[in-house]
Amino acid sequence: MSDKYLTIALGKGRLARQAIALFEKIGISCESINDKTTRKLIFTDEENRIRFFLAKAPDVPTYVEYGAADIGIVGEDTILEEGRNIYEVLDLGFGKCRMCVCGPESAKKYLSGGGQIRVASKYPNIASDYFFNKKHQTVEIIKLNGSIELAPIVGLSEVIVDIVETGSTLKENGLVVLEEVVPLSARVVVNHVSMKMNNERINDLIRSLKGAL
Ligand code: PRP
């Protein structure tokens, strides 16, 4: 086996925990990576010459594009929003959810009317692509950083573009899905140069992950 470490970036949070469990299933694991109290950011599996690091999800495609990580595991929402030059090689099938246009039932009329409305989102690129390029509707996109469901309730925007998983956040706040933008799940992404230089090793790893799904 090569002495070079293969570096894998994981988007912090629920997806990282599921990804770690999947790697454990194929015999790749690192001491203390599951320790919730640790502030460590890098974990190494010496035997398999693999190291993992945890990063904020939107930074994972950046690390992979620049080759600081050979491989990344991150949600399709982040991949679409960041628009980085990376290979998307595998749909892991977990972390399934949907990117949707949501709002109060009464906001439905704004989506067929073609009028200028305000759209709040943590995903301004996905939201503009959907409204401008797919729906050909001119809207004002307002970037927020979380608790997006607040926006139509307090009158910041008519609708939102956000992730819907169970639908309970919408329900508890009197909002509904008005349109679906795109289905989402966790993906494996790879750096272009790493894919060429470490082709066999990366393909073996991808095959093993696929087999363990
Ligand atoms: C996400 C998303 C919704 C919620 C959807 O928010 O932005 O608010 O989860 O999940 P549900 O359909 O199962 O209710 P997250 O919890 O990541 O936090 P945020 O609002 O700070 O972005």
Side-chain angles (χ1 to χ4, degrees), residues 122 145-149 162-170:
K122 198 154 83 173
N145 295 295
S147 304
I148 316 298
E149 290 82 358
D162 198 19
I163 288 175
V164 179
E165 191 181 357
T166 61
S168 53
T169 312
L170 290 179

Side-chain angles (χ1 to χ4, degrees), residues 178-202:
L178 299 168
E179 287 176 0
E180 180 172 316
V181 177
V182 65
L184 305 166
S185 57
R187 306 293 161 107
V188 179
V189 294
V190 179
N191 170 266
H192 282 281
V193 177
S194 305
M195 197 67 193
K196 285 202 189 88
M197 306 300 283
N198 296 307
N199 191 272
E200 204 174 318
R201 209 170 158 209
I202 292 177

Side-chain angles (χ1 to χ4, degrees), residues 61-82:
T62 313
Y63 283 107
V64 174
E65 181 182 282
Y66 282 89
D70 301 292
I71 295 173
I73 296 198
V74 70
E76 175 73 357
D77 51 322
T78 307
I79 298 170
L80 293 173
E81 181 61 26
E82 296 303 311

